[in-house]
Amino acid sequence: KTSQSSSRYKTLKKKMDVTDKMLPKQSQTQQFSNQAHAIALVVSTVGAMAMLCTIAYSIGNGSGSEQLKAILGMPWGITSLIDLYVGFTIFSMWIWFREQSRAQAIAWTCAMMIGGNFTASVYVLKTLRECGGDVLKFFLGHGSNSHR
């Protein structure tokens, strides 16, 4: 039995050694992280600005209740709204996963349901600032330290 255990241990150790060799080195991970950080920063900033301009334009030139009735009167209008709120909900799940404070998660979720992708862009900008280029910290938030 001891030789079987020893043999299994050696086999498992070999597999783990191969897995370790397949993983990128820390410097490669950090380099990718810096590239991803820069791209996400640009996309989120452009997204936030585009949404801010579009919301300002819509407030100044649209009649919310009349246009909402028109959208709800079309099958693709209903589909689009459901699609948006499913996406908002999924994004909010990420917020709940990342945030340590329940009060902050509630506030961001409410803002997400009202402000939509403008809020998503601002939240991504916030997390980019907090993570300092660390991809795990960006995606996992307060739980990133337990996954290292």
Side-chain angles (χ1 to χ4, degrees):
K1 221 175 187 182
T2 306
S3 66
Q4 273 185 327
S5 296
S6 177
S7 174
R8 285 184 190 160
Y9 174 77
K10 288 178 183 175
T11 303
L12 182 59
K13 183 160 177 22
K14 281 183 183 178
K15 286 181 182 178
M16 289 177 69
D17 288 342
V18 170
T19 303
D20 287 344
K21 291 175 186 172
M22 292 168 46
L23 294 173
K25 301 291 182 227
Q26 181 62 30
S27 62
Q28 291 171 329
T29 302
Q30 191 61 39
Q31 183 180 7
F32 170 77
S33 174
N34 290 338
Q35 290 173 334
H37 187 270
I39 291 168
L41 186 63
V42 169
V43 169
S44 298
T45 301
V46 170
M49 296 307 294
M51 287 305 302
L52 185 63
C53 292
T54 304
I55 290 168
Y57 171 79
S58 296
I59 289 172
N61 296 302
S63 168
S65 61
E66 288 177 28
Q67 291 176 353
L68 183 59
K69 283 181 189 177
I71 290 171
L72 292 174
M74 298 180 285
W76 279 107
I78 294 169
T79 301
S80 296
L81 286 175
I82 291 171
D83 179 53
L84 278 173
Y85 279 91
V86 167
F88 296 165
T89 302
I90 292 169
F91 194 91
S92 295
M93 289 169 48
W94 178 54
I95 291 171
W96 278 86
F97 181 76
R98 283 192 87 261
E99 292 298 325
Q100 194 166 9
S101 162
R102 181 173 277 176
Q104 285 184 353
I106 290 170
W108 279 107
T109 299
C110 290
M112 188 70 204
M113 296 304 159
I114 296 166
N117 286 313
F118 171 73
T119 302
S121 296
V122 171
Y123 187 79
V124 169
L125 288 169
K126 168 196 165 307
T127 60
L128 287 169
R129 183 177 49 93
E130 292 173 349
C131 79
D134 184 338
V135 173
L136 279 178
K137 191 170 182 179
F138 174 78
F139 283 108
L140 302 178
H142 70 89
S144 65
N145 292 331
S146 64
H147 294 284
R148 290 189 180 232

